[in-house]
């Protein structure tokens, strides 16, 4: 570049440097994004028997899949169903996110999403979920789990928790009405639900909604039973609302009330004081 007096000056431009800096930043952002996506990937770990079955190209035979999401639903299964000792742990799911950061080993130890199989009827599976599955992990969770299951003749039952404050109704809802159950079923579900359907404009969200949506798309019989409770922690009265659901599922799913007293006490001990105003 020449000046008015004929002096030749070297041209300096920040455009090249800015482009290089922007390219480096984009590459760094892309690498961070890939690492975060990899970290948030849902991983399933099965026991050696099922792993061998899957490696051979087969799927897990399953006629009844019971999914419990939330502390009351999961505690109910632990106290009334899994306490019978008729179940074996066959798999675990690991899903890291901002609200579920527990570190787990390579085989999924310590995860809060566990799969159980009935010892006498291997086609009956239970999934016990107490961890948070983030919104961006819901699709891959359902795709991976149901991708391993034989879905022909499968019936899915989902037990889930919800606060009564999330329940919308035009009528006054007195405190004595809670807890209560509402159901939502896929079009392939031909049985009669044990409670009335969820009224509009109420919706279900999270993992129960993702599972029901998957079952609706793939014509799988499924029913979600959502319990609305005014208690935030595990509560024996809330858990009792799930009993009619499982009594309809067959002889393999038996509610063991007499054997569950000690187990139930462990879950509800922390929630005996319902108010934080008077301690």
């Amino acid at each position: 570049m020449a000046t008015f007096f004929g002096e030749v000056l070297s041209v300096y431009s920040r455009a090249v440097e800015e482009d290089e800096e922007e390219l480096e930043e984009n590459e760094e952002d892309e690498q961070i994004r890939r690492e975060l996506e990899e970290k948030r990937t849902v991983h399933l770990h099965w026991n050696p028997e099922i792993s061998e079955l899957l490696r051979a190209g087969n799927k897990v035979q399953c006629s009844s899949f019971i999914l419990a999401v939330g502390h009351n639903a999961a505690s109910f299964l632990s106290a009334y169903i899994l306490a019978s000792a008729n179940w074996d742990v066959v798999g675990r799911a690991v899903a890291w996110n901002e609200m579920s950061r527990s570190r787990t080993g390579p085989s999924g130890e310590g995860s809060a999403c566990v799969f159980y199989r009935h010892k006498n009827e291997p086609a009956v599976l239970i999934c016990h979920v107490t961890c948070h599955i983030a919104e961006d992990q819901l699709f891959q969770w359902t795709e991976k789990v149901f991708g391993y299951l034989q879905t022909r003749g499968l019936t899915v039952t989902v037990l889930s928790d919800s606060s009564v404050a999330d329940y919308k109704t035009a009528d006054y809802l007195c405190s004595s009405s809670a807890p209560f159950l509402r159901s939502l079923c896929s079009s392939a579900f031909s049985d009669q639900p044990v409670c009335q359907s969820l009224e509009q404009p109420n919706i279900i969200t999270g993992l129960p909604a993702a599972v029901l949506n998957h079952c609706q798309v793939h014509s799988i019989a499924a029913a979600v039973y959502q319990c609305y409770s005014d208690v935030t922690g595990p509560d024996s009265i809330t858990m009792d609302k799930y009993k009619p659901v499982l009594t309809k599922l067959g002889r393999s799913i038996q509610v063991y009330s007499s054997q569950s007293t000690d187990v139930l006490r462990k879950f509800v001990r922390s929630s005996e004081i319902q108010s934080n105003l008077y301690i």
Side-chain angles (χ1 to χ4, degrees), residues 4-275:
F4 178 78
F5 298 101
E7 182 181 5
V8 178
L9 302 177
S10 59
V11 177
Y12 173 78
S13 174
R14 284 185 52 85
V16 176
E17 287 191 1
E18 289 177 351
D19 289 343
E20 290 178 352
E21 290 177 358
E22 183 178 353
L23 180 60
E24 292 177 357
E25 290 178 357
N26 289 339
E27 291 178 350
E28 183 178 357
D29 292 342
E30 182 68 19
Q31 181 180 357
I32 294 174
R33 186 185 64 82
R34 287 195 301 266
E35 292 176 354
L36 185 59
E37 287 182 354
E38 182 179 354
K39 191 174 184 179
R40 297 175 70 91
T41 300
V42 177
H43 298 280
L44 296 180
H45 307 280
W46 300 102
N47 68 359
E49 179 184 351
I50 292 184
S51 297
E52 183 66 26
L53 180 73
L54 297 174
R55 279 195 294 267
N58 300 313
K59 292 190 175 184
V60 180
Q61 296 296 320
C62 186
S63 61
S64 182
F65 181 48
I66 304 167
L67 176 69
V69 183
H71 291 290
N72 270 305
S75 298
F76 167 75
L77 286 186
S78 295
Y80 290 97
I81 306 299
L82 299 175
S84 65
N86 291 329
W87 303 85
D88 289 325
V89 175
V90 294
R92 302 176 187 271
V94 180
W96 184 95
N97 54 65
E98 290 77 6
M99 296 180 64
S100 180
R101 300 189 176 195
S102 59
R103 295 290 180 180
T104 58
S107 59
E109 294 89 347
S111 65
C113 182
V114 185
F115 296 88
Y116 299 84
R117 184 169 64 176
H118 198 279
K119 293 180 178 180
N120 301 324
E121 296 189 39
V124 178
L125 291 178
I126 282 179
C127 184
H128 185 277
V129 183
T130 56
C131 62
H132 174 74
I133 308 297
E135 184 176 351
D136 61 317
Q137 297 173 320
L138 295 174
F139 177 78
Q140 58 170 313
W141 192 99
T142 54
E143 288 293 311
K144 288 188 176 182
V145 170
F146 283 92
Y148 289 126
L149 303 181
Q150 174 59 255
T151 58
R152 181 178 299 177
L154 174 64
T155 299
V156 178
T157 303
V158 182
L159 310 179
S160 66
D161 298 352
S162 185
S163 171
V164 73
D166 298 330
Y167 182 75
K168 300 177 179 63
T169 178
D171 301 326
Y172 173 72
L173 188 65
C174 63
S175 58
S176 61
S177 301
F180 56 89
L181 276 182
R182 291 295 184 267
S183 63
L184 202 58
C185 306
S186 67
S187 57
F189 187 81
S190 58
D191 200 1
Q192 182 67 29
V194 301
C195 63
Q196 68 182 78
S197 299
L198 183 64
E199 307 92 337
Q200 294 182 347
N202 293 287
I203 60 174
I204 61 173
T205 59
L207 189 57
V211 170
L212 184 62
N213 180 72
H214 180 92
C215 293
Q216 177 67 23
V217 170
H218 294 86
S219 300
I220 301 173
V224 175
Y225 292 96
Q226 186 150 285
C227 185
Y228 290 90
S229 176
D230 55 352
V231 179
T232 56
D235 170 64
S236 58
I237 299 177
T238 302
M239 294 182 202
D240 284 342
K241 294 297 179 179
Y242 295 116
K243 286 183 179 180
V245 178
L246 297 192
T247 53
K248 291 189 62 178
L249 295 182
R251 297 173 58 185
S252 60
I253 308 296
Q254 298 182 23
V255 178
Y256 292 89
S257 300
S258 60
Q259 301 179 7
S260 61
T261 304
D262 294 335
V263 182
L264 181 61
R265 188 180 295 113
K266 178 181 67 175
F267 289 112
V268 302
R269 182 181 298 136
S270 60
S271 61
E272 290 175 350
I273 298 177
Q274 303 298 336
S275 175

